[in-house]
Amino acid sequence: MKILVTGGTGYIGSHTVVELQNKGYDVIIADNLSNSHIDVVDSIEKITGKRPEFIKLDFSETENTYKFFESNKDIAAIIHFAAYKAVGESVEKPLKYYRNNLFSLINILNCMKEFNIRNIVFSSSCTVYGQPDKLPVSENSPIKEAFSPYGNTKQIAEEIIRDTTISTKNINSIALRYFNPIGAHETALIGELPLGVPNNLMPFITQTAIGKREFLRVFGNDYNTPDGTCIRDYIHVVDLAQAHCIAVDRMLNNKGKSNFEIFNLGTGKGYSVLEVIKSFEKVSGVKLKYKIVERRPGDVEKVWANADYANNELGWKAKKSLDEMTLSAWNWEKAYNKKNNL
Ligand code: UD1
């Protein structure tokens, strides 16, 4: 059974390809390599003993997308990760984000109709909830006005998928709303590899600890939280990847309750920035250099998931602890630097 993974050389995509192959699926990765490296395909092969098919493709290019699907009519399901995701950049260059994230989705959905591909899993985000009024946040919590064009692309994309599945009765879709994925594969062969200066907390921590960055800036310690720093629901990327396999199984076996479903993927537990730093220091034995600085504009104070629906309905539960997450991220950073003589 062939699964198309768009953005499959990226961070969450690559971990998902590993889990899919381990489950016996045949995977074709399509990625434009704008924020990932082709070497990831070799690493996936090392981990799983099987090389996924790879094609360099930008799904926002309509003609090339059609050509691709025309020669890959046997795709049983699509997992659509390929998208830009830097919140700050999206504020500066909104059209880049709307164009890429929405054109690619529309092209894919058009091709699904054209070539009768029935199943799509969409990579969504807890960003759609903004700062929720009630915590933990469940799938029924209200969608708040997006904080950034990036966040808006996730909201609009969910609406585009919902409307398409209503009008086209034979497309099944699942939107997975991720909380904060961190960590890396236990082999340390794949992990998060942001190009340039990382925006996200975990790669910034590991890059500071290894000496690539001078110090971590902790954005604000005057929030209404126990230690004053923001709280997030950090989830191990492998737990997250496994949920994608289950979502694919669910659609292929027609187990969905409707043809547009939404699941929160989180652990149900929130940790502050300082708690993440403490965990990292404990597992790595490295004292992290950090400074408390001004709040980062657009940050929500606290958010964590009610993951009951995914737990009960998908039979999935995030298993890995915060220490396992921070340790695997650290092992990956060290292994990457060693391999590349950095
Ligand atoms: C953001 C988006 C999320 C998106 C993700 C991917 C929002 C509200 N959230 O997550 O939708 O999927 O990026 O890029 O738009 N922090 C520091 N110092 C740093 C970096 C981060 O203190 O150098 C803090 C932040 O203030 C925050 C926490 O660490 O409290 C996590 O930040 P980050 O990893 O960037 O994720 P989010 O902002 O939660």
Side-chain angles (χ1 to χ4, degrees):
M1 195 85 75
K2 192 167 171 185
I3 312 295
L4 165 64
V5 180
T6 80
T9 44
Y11 174 44
I12 308 173
S14 57
H15 289 82
T16 301
V17 172
V18 166
E19 297 305 313
L20 287 166
Q21 293 202 154
N22 284 344
K23 283 239 171 319
Y25 286 112
D26 295 319
V27 175
I28 176 162
I29 295 175
D31 198 304
N32 67 1
L33 299 176
S34 64
N35 195 27
S36 60
H37 210 277
I38 189 67
D39 290 359
V40 169
V41 179
D42 300 333
S43 303
I44 293 171
E45 183 179 6
K46 259 189 211 148
I47 296 171
T48 62
K50 191 174 162 189
R51 193 169 184 82
E53 240 182 281
F54 175 84
I55 175 156
K56 186 163 185 271
L57 180 64
D58 185 334
F59 286 96
S60 69
E61 292 168 2
T62 309
E63 216 172 291
N64 290 342
T65 301
Y66 265 79
K67 275 190 204 145
F68 167 78
F69 280 105
E70 197 144 44
S71 44
N72 287 281
K73 290 189 178 133
D74 54 342
I75 290 169
I78 301 170
I79 307 183
H80 182 40
F81 290 105
Y84 293 147
K85 61 159 196 166
V87 177
E89 188 192 40
S90 80
V91 177
E92 281 154 35
K93 299 177 185 163
L95 289 177
K96 177 177 172 182
Y97 276 68
Y98 287 116
R99 186 189 176 283
N100 184 59
N101 293 5
L102 299 179
F103 278 22
S104 57
L105 175 67
I106 292 168
N107 284 337
I108 287 170
L109 289 170
N110 268 326
C111 288
M112 288 178 74
K113 286 171 71 172
E114 179 82 22
F115 299 106
N116 200 24
I117 297 169
R118 296 206 42 214
N119 305 297
I120 180 163
V121 176
F122 177 66
S123 182
S124 190
S125 166
C126 70
T127 193
V128 301
Y129 301 117
Q131 176 60 69
D133 300 323
K134 270 199 279 173
L135 287 166
V137 60
S138 76
E139 291 80 355
N140 302 321
S141 302
I143 300 297
K144 292 281 187 68
E145 196 186 331
F147 271 46
S148 67
Y150 156 77
N152 208 19
T153 66
K154 292 295 176 191
Q155 294 190 1
I156 298 170
E158 284 195 5
E159 289 167 0
I160 291 173
I161 295 170
R162 182 200 60 204
D163 294 347
T164 307
T165 53
I166 290 170
S167 75
T168 321
K169 302 269 176 309
N170 62 354
I171 290 185
N172 298 313
S173 61
I174 295 182
L176 299 176
R177 291 180 179 161
Y178 314 146
F179 282 67
N180 285 58
I182 60 169
H185 196 262
E186 60 182 359
T187 57
L189 288 166
I190 53 172
E192 189 169 10
L193 190 56
L195 297 183
V197 182
N199 293 301
N200 297 111
L201 179 64
M202 202 63 231
F204 213 106
I205 289 179
T206 57
Q207 290 193 10
T208 305
I210 207 125
K212 270 192 218 165
R213 314 268 158 218
E214 203 185 334
F215 60 89
L216 169 78
R217 291 176 302 155
V218 174
F219 297 130
N221 69 348
D222 57 353
Y223 285 99
N224 182 24
T225 60
D227 65 22
T229 62
C230 292
I231 295 180
R232 297 285 184 275
D233 185 336
Y234 295 94
I235 174 169
H236 197 293
V237 67
V238 173
D239 280 331
L240 194 70
Q242 285 167 353
H244 290 75
C245 297
I246 297 173
V248 165
D249 283 345
R250 180 177 177 90
M251 292 190 303
L252 293 176
N253 295 304
N254 285 313
K255 286 199 207 132
K257 288 208 161 138
S258 72
N259 55 3
F260 174 62
E261 295 191 291
I262 294 172
F263 294 96
N264 279 350
L265 297 181
T267 64
K269 195 164 168 26
Y271 289 101
S272 71
V273 177
L274 293 181
E275 285 175 314
V276 176
I277 294 173
K278 268 187 211 125
S279 160
F280 175 80
E281 289 182 330
K282 185 176 81 182
V283 301
S284 67
V286 176
K287 185 102 190 80
L288 193 76
K289 287 187 204 139
Y290 69 88
K291 287 185 189 163
I292 309 285
V293 300
E294 290 294 291
R295 291 182 176 197
R296 179 172 70 175
D299 263 341
V300 303
E301 184 168 85
K302 48 192 164 198
V303 62
W304 60 90
N306 175 338
D308 289 354
Y309 189 56
N311 295 165
N312 299 332
E313 204 39 53
L314 299 179
W316 165 91
K317 202 167 171 43
K319 295 185 210 89
K320 296 201 192 300
S321 67
L322 181 63
D323 287 352
E324 288 172 290
M325 299 183 214
T326 53
L327 178 60
S328 64
W330 179 229
N331 287 340
W332 152 249
E333 181 75 54
K334 285 190 296 184
Y336 179 79
N337 281 269
K338 196 170 166 201
K339 184 176 153 206
N340 295 286
N341 298 316
L342 298 172

